[in-house]
C-alpha cells in the first residue's frame, strides 16, 4: 500500500471538522512529497533540526506543525514558518515564542499541552498551571501568540477505556478553559488528540486535529 493510498484511507474515516496532520518525523522528503501529491498539506515534526532541514526542500504551501518538546533556545529556527506549535507547556516558552514571532512580524498559533496520561514521562501542564498562566499579567501582555486550543497524548495501552477517559478529560479541560478565558475568542477551537492507534476514539471524544504517522508512512526506524 502506497503513502497516497494510506492518506486517502485515513481521510475517509475522518469527519469534515477533523483535520489530519501527517506526522513525518524520521521519514525522508520523498515520502512527504508522495503525501503532498495525494493532497496532504499539514505535516507534523517533533525535532527542530529535522524540521528546519526538510522545510526548504518542500513546497511553500506545506503547513508545518511542531508536535514535540520544544526547547526555548531553538524556537528562533522555526519561528519564521511554523504554522502551529502543539506543545506549549510553560509561560517561559510562550514568552520566547512571542518574541521570535514579533521579530518575524507574525503571530504564531499555539496549543497548550496537557498531561493526561498515566505515564509520568509525558510532557504537559495541569489545568491549574494553565489557569495560572492564562491569568498572569505576563501572558496577557503577549501579542504575537494566539492560543488556539489544547493538545494531549493518551497512555500507551491497549485498554480503550483508559484512552477514552483520558481524551474525555482533555475535552473537558478544553471546555472549561473556553468558558473561563476564551468564550469570546473564536480562535480557541482546536483539540489535538489521537495518533495511529487511538485516533478513532479521539475523534469520538471531540478531536479536531489528529496526528498520524505510522499508519500513513509505515513503522519508524530509530537508528
Ligand atoms: C510520533 C507522534 C505522533 C504519531 O504517532 P503514530 O503512532 O506514528 O501515529 C503523534 N503525536 C506525537 C506528539 C508524536 O510524537
Amino acid at each position: 500500500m502506497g503513502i497516497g493510498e494510506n492518506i486517502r484511507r485515513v481521510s475517509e474515516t475522518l469527519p469534515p471538522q477533523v483535520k489530519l496532520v501527517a506526522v513525518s518525523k524520521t521519514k525522508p522528503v520523498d515520502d512527504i512529497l508522495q503525501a503532498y501529491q495525494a493532497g496532504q498539506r499539514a505535516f507534523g515534526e517533533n525535532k527542530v533540526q529535522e524540521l528546519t532541514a526538510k522545510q526548504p526542500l518542500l513546497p511553500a504551501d506545506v503547513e508545518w506543525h511542531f508536535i514535540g518538546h520544544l526547547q526555548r533556545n531553538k524556537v528562533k529556527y522555526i519561528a519564521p514558518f511554523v504554522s502551529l506549535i502543539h506543545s506549549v507547556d510553560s509561560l517561559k516558552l510562550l514568552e520566547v515564542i512571542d518574541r521570535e514571532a514579533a521579530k518575524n512580524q507574525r503571530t504564531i498559533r499555539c496549543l497548550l499541552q496537557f498531561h493526561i496520561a498515566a505515564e509520568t514521562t509525558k510532557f504537559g501542564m495541569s489545568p491549574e498551571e494553565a489557569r495560572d498562566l492564562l491569568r498572569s499579567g505576563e501572558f496577557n501582555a503577549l501579542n504575537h501568540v494566539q492560543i488556539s486550543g489544547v493538545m494531549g497524548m493518551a497512555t500507551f495501552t491497549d485498554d480503550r477505556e483508559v484512552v477514552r477517559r483520558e481524551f474525555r478529560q482533555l475535552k473537558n479541560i478544553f471546555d472549561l478553559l473556553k468558558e473561563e478565558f476564551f468564550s469570546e475568542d473564536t480562535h480557541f477551537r482546536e483539540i489535538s488528540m489521537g495518533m495511529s492507534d487511538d485516533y478513532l476514539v479521539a475523534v469520538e471524544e471531540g478531536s479536531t486535529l489528529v496526528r498520524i504517522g505510522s499508519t500513513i508512512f509505515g513503522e519508524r526506524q530509530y537508528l
Side-chain angles (χ1 to χ4, degrees):
M1 194 83 64
I3 289 168
E5 182 59 22
N6 293 342
I7 296 268
R8 279 183 285 275
R9 286 182 8 148
V10 169
S11 300
E12 274 170 18
T13 66
L14 299 176
Q17 73 276 12
V18 179
K19 178 166 173 159
L20 170 61
V21 179
V23 176
S24 49
K25 65 188 186 195
T26 80
K27 298 296 177 181
V29 164
D30 274 355
D31 287 9
I32 302 176
L33 272 174
Q34 279 185 50
Y36 182 89
Q37 276 147 14
Q40 180 65 25
R41 289 297 177 270
F43 292 90
E45 292 281 343
N46 70 338
K47 296 264 189 321
V48 168
Q49 206 176 353
E50 187 177 346
L51 173 52
T52 54
K54 288 172 174 174
Q55 184 265 342
L57 305 176
L58 285 146
D61 66 340
V62 164
E63 205 183 279
W64 292 105
H65 291 239
F66 193 81
I67 61 170
H69 184 63
L70 181 55
Q71 289 171 282
R72 298 202 289 273
N73 61 356
K74 293 194 176 157
V75 172
K76 58 177 176 283
Y77 302 113
I78 63 171
F81 64 85
V82 71
S83 171
L84 180 65
I85 298 174
H86 290 233
S87 43
V88 172
D89 59 1
S90 74
L91 175 61
K92 281 200 160 111
L93 176 59
L94 208 50
E95 287 175 327
V96 175
I97 296 169
D98 187 81
R99 194 169 71 223
E100 296 299 329
K103 281 187 197 161
N104 287 279
Q105 293 166 305
R106 59 189 300 249
T107 297
I108 297 180
R109 300 170 66 230
C110 296
L111 305 179
L112 299 178
Q113 182 173 356
F114 288 90
H115 185 269
I116 53 171
E119 294 114 317
T120 52
T121 51
K122 286 184 177 151
F123 292 104
M125 295 185 281
S126 67
E128 294 68 37
E129 287 169 320
R131 278 202 189 85
D132 286 346
L133 185 159
L134 294 168
R135 285 192 187 120
S136 70
E138 290 91 334
F139 169 71
N140 284 285
L142 305 181
N143 45 35
H144 291 85
V145 287
Q146 184 173 83
I147 303 296
S148 302
V150 302
M151 181 270 214
M153 286 166 89
T155 303
F156 186 71
T157 170
D158 289 335
D159 188 337
R160 301 279 92 181
E161 286 320 301
V162 169
V163 169
R164 186 180 298 282
R165 206 184 314 130
E166 291 170 352
F167 287 149
R168 207 166 275 181
Q169 191 188 333
L170 186 62
K171 169 69 162 72
N172 188 44
I173 292 169
F174 170 86
D175 289 340
L176 293 171
L177 294 180
K178 175 94 189 155
E179 187 177 299
E180 186 172 348
F181 298 98
F182 300 100
S183 59
E184 309 283 290
D185 183 349
T186 55
H187 299 293
F188 189 84
R189 58 168 183 252
E190 307 292 356
I191 304 176
S192 171
M193 58 185 189
M195 309 178 20
S196 289
D197 290 337
D198 58 20
Y199 77 91
L200 291 173
V201 178
V203 167
E204 284 171 8
E205 297 303 328
S207 173
T208 67
L209 288 170
V210 289
R211 311 176 308 269
I212 301 183
S214 42
T215 296
I216 292 170
F217 295 108
E219 292 302 320
R220 286 178 293 275
Q221 314 260 298
Y222 289 99
L223 298 173

